[in-house]
Amino acid sequence: MTSRSGGNDASSMSFRGGRAPGPNDVFIAVMGVTGSGKSSFISLCSGRVVKVGHQLEACTTTVDVYAYDASSTHTVYLIDTPGFDDTNRSDTQVLREIAGWLGDSYKNKILLHGIIYLHRITDIRMQGSAKKNLIMFRQLCGQDALKKVILVTTMWDKVPAAEGARREKELIDTPEFWGWMLGKGSSCHRHNNTEASARSIVARLSNHKAPITTDLQRQLVDEHKSLDQTSAGRELQGELLKEKEKWARERREIEEQMKAAIKQRDREAEQMMREERDRYTKMIKKVENDTGALRSTMNNLLAERDKRVAKMEQQLKRQQADHEAELKRLSERQRRVEREKEELEKQRQRRAEENERRRQREQARQERDQRRPQKPQAPAKPRASAPKSKATGFAPYSVSIADGTYFCVGPKLVSSNEDYPKRKRGSEFAEAACFGDLGSEETVPGFKRVSQ
């Protein structure tokens, strides 16, 4: 960790994100309840991505600094602070974090040029928590610093113009809200959620060379008070005492109801009351712990802050190591995939080359066959023709069969098996026609040829 004594360049660079000090450096704190738009405002001004909180969980849990060059010789440092009314951190933890950074910067001669306090114009009314935090903010600043405070309303695009104007007027006219601070020199402006709007608000505080010292810084560092002895600490301590008394009163009522349930032997009601009593007991214990945490000196705050920052740095290193290991794993996987792709490409090329060689061999074979002299072919032997029938000169005829009698009718031919003479083997008639399935030639009925 950097040395905190003296305000040398090396130690003060830690408040500038590593930047070297310049003659026209301006430091402006951005404050407000959680969800009022601090991170978005800073992002528009600096052009840097700032983690933005959402409805149920706040993102800004530590003080961080974002710089941007308003000109070639003019650097603005916007200080992003955790918001009060946080869902995950108590107001005591938030005040300790802000007090630690402001006290440390003040010891290192880093002075504020102003404070921007953001408020949602979408809020229907100044609720109890917002009013409480506004009072604590006033105590943190002190009357002298209020001259360099700009009260900024945000989220105008989410309400009708007339309704927003009515709420703005109520903030300005009510002393318990913004009226008292405006009377002490603070100013009020609207932020239209644009870079030009945000930078114009910052410019109202950065165009002067009269830095301020808040009451919290003076009381912690110059007067060596503990946090619970400062104006802001006393204000918060008073709120914690009210909460403790409220929870204690609620617990006493629950205990009375639990006694009545025991007398009536109502086991179910007794169990419910017991659970409620335990819940209030935990809340009272938390308030007591928060109250005790306010009893911290500047040295205590810095030591705890250093310890928390060191822990965060260790976590960051582990995350970075895990990230590098993951990158290495992904890189090795990518190389493996590339090797597999190269091997597949080689296999494809080998198959293509083998196919090409096979094609060339086949083409060469065909060319050799074409160049080889052809052997004379022997004349084909004539096929033996079927023996021609000796019967010639037959004319078209038709055959009819009826009751075992055959009739043959044709041009100049009328014959039947009744006038068929006894034929001989090899006769022209036998070679010409044979009908039926009566067996041998001797018994097959035929026809008598009639000469034309």
Side-chain angles (χ1 to χ4, degrees):
M1 302 298 296
T2 58
S3 171
R4 300 188 184 281
S5 60
N8 55 67
D9 288 351
S11 60
S12 63
M13 282 177 64
S14 64
F15 298 96
R16 295 176 168 84
R19 289 196 180 200
N24 298 315
D25 291 345
V26 173
F27 290 83
I28 298 174
V30 182
M31 297 185 178
V33 297
T34 298
S36 58
K38 299 185 299 298
S39 297
S40 299
F41 182 91
I42 293 173
S43 181
L44 286 171
C45 283
S46 65
R48 293 174 57 187
V49 177
V50 180
K51 196 174 183 182
V52 180
H54 297 284
Q55 294 180 355
L56 298 179
E57 182 177 354
C59 291
T60 306
T61 56
T62 58
V63 175
D64 205 354
V65 179
Y66 296 85
Y68 72 93
D69 295 323
S71 68
S72 58
T73 60
H74 192 79
T75 302
V76 175
Y77 295 88
L78 297 178
I79 304 160
D80 190 13
T81 63
F84 292 105
D85 199 22
D86 196 319
T87 55
N88 297 318
R89 307 181 72 187
S90 67
D91 286 348
T92 297
Q93 292 174 308
V94 172
L95 180 60
R96 285 170 59 89
E97 182 67 27
I98 294 175
W101 195 93
L102 289 176
D104 193 13
S105 62
Y106 181 65
K107 289 180 66 175
N108 283 276
K109 312 302 181 185
I110 303 294
L111 302 179
L112 296 177
H113 287 72
I115 300 174
I116 296 173
Y117 186 87
L118 302 182
H119 174 79
R120 297 178 298 249
I121 199 64
T122 54
D123 290 352
I124 298 176
R125 62 182 61 87
M126 183 70 77
Q127 299 176 351
S129 59
K131 186 177 179 180
K132 175 191 67 177
N133 293 324
L134 185 62
I135 294 173
M136 189 162 55
F137 170 75
R138 289 183 348 204
Q139 298 295 341
L140 181 153
C141 294
Q143 289 193 30
D144 292 341
L146 288 177
K147 297 175 183 179
K148 295 297 188 298
V149 169
I150 297 181
L151 303 170
V152 178
T153 49
T154 62
M155 304 183 183
W156 281 89
D157 57 330
K158 299 184 183 301
V159 296
E163 180 63 20
R166 186 191 65 77
R167 295 175 186 176
E168 181 185 49
K169 186 176 185 304
E170 182 181 5
L171 290 171
I172 294 172
D173 293 344
T174 305
E176 291 81 4
F177 299 163
W178 288 1
W180 183 82
M181 289 187 290
L182 293 173
K184 297 298 180 180
S186 299
S187 60
C188 175
H189 295 279
R190 298 179 182 182
H191 172 47
N192 296 322
N193 199 32
T194 64
E195 178 184 342
S197 173
R199 288 201 173 194
S200 66
I201 293 171
V202 172
R204 296 176 182 275
L205 295 174
S206 60
N207 293 329
H208 67 86
K209 295 186 177 180
I212 60 173
T213 301
T214 65
D215 277 5
L216 183 62
Q217 290 172 313
R218 186 181 301 107
Q219 292 164 358
L220 282 174
V221 179
D222 296 339
E223 300 175 12
H224 304 288
K225 291 183 177 181
S226 59
L227 186 57
D228 63 317
Q229 294 173 336
T230 64
S231 299
R234 288 198 302 269
E235 183 65 33
L236 179 56
Q237 197 173 33
E239 294 296 328
L240 291 174
L241 181 59
K242 292 178 183 178
E243 285 188 7
K244 182 180 178 180
E245 292 176 350
K246 175 184 176 182
W247 303 139
R249 185 169 59 254
E250 295 286 345
R251 186 175 66 175
R252 286 193 298 270
E253 293 178 1
I254 291 295
E255 287 176 344
E256 292 296 326
Q257 295 176 23
M258 186 176 68
K259 291 178 182 178
I262 293 173
K263 288 182 179 180
Q264 297 173 5
R265 297 184 179 181
D266 188 341
R267 300 283 186 179
E268 184 176 355
E270 177 189 351
Q271 182 62 28
M272 291 175 58
M273 295 302 104
R274 194 179 301 276
E275 291 174 357
E276 280 295 291
R277 184 200 61 182
D278 294 344
R279 186 172 69 88
Y280 283 119
T281 299
K282 290 180 181 179
M283 295 170 73
I284 292 172
K285 183 65 176 177
K286 182 179 180 300
V287 170
E288 291 174 348
N289 291 337
D290 288 343
T291 302
L294 288 174
R295 293 190 289 270
S296 299
T297 64
M298 188 65 215
N299 289 336
N300 296 143
L301 294 173
L302 295 180
E304 182 178 334
R305 183 166 175 262
D306 289 347
K307 183 178 179 180
R308 187 168 60 255
V309 169
K311 183 178 179 180
M312 292 176 61
E313 289 176 348
Q314 291 177 356
Q315 292 176 348
L316 184 61
K317 288 180 180 179
R318 285 196 298 268
Q319 292 175 358
Q320 185 174 1
D322 293 341
H323 179 64
E324 291 176 354
E326 180 66 12
L327 288 178
K328 184 177 179 181
R329 186 185 68 80
L330 292 175
S331 178
E332 178 60 30
R333 179 182 178 185
Q334 182 65 24
R335 286 194 295 269
R336 185 169 64 253
V337 170
E338 292 296 330
R339 288 195 298 268
E340 291 175 354
K341 289 173 63 176
E342 290 176 0
E343 181 61 28
L344 290 174
E345 180 61 22
K346 290 178 180 179
Q347 292 178 7
R348 188 193 65 78
Q349 292 179 357
R350 285 195 294 269
R351 286 194 299 269
E353 291 171 357
E354 179 62 27
N355 292 335
E356 178 62 19
R357 287 193 294 269
R358 187 179 298 111
R359 187 192 65 79
Q360 292 176 358
R361 288 196 299 267
E362 179 63 22
Q363 183 179 1
R365 185 188 65 77
Q366 293 176 0
E367 292 175 352
R368 286 195 304 270
D369 291 344
Q370 291 175 358
R371 292 194 299 269
R372 184 178 302 159
Q374 301 292 327
K375 293 181 180 181
Q377 296 182 353
K381 294 181 180 181
R383 293 184 179 180
S385 59
K388 294 184 177 180
S389 174
K390 295 179 181 180
T392 60
F394 286 95
Y397 60 87
S398 63
V399 178
S400 298
I401 304 174
D403 296 331
T405 301
Y406 298 84
F407 297 91
C408 183
V409 180
K412 301 180 182 180
L413 173 63
V414 176
S415 181
S416 71
N417 59 346
E418 299 201 1
D419 58 359
Y420 176 66
K422 186 173 178 64
R423 63 187 176 85
K424 298 179 180 180
R425 186 183 298 277
S427 66
E428 290 182 354
F429 179 81
E431 291 179 355
C434 181
F435 301 94
D437 56 353
L438 301 179
S440 66
E441 288 182 0
E442 314 302 340
T443 59
V444 174
F447 309 100
K448 181 179 179 180
R449 184 172 183 274
V450 179
S451 60
Q452 301 180 8

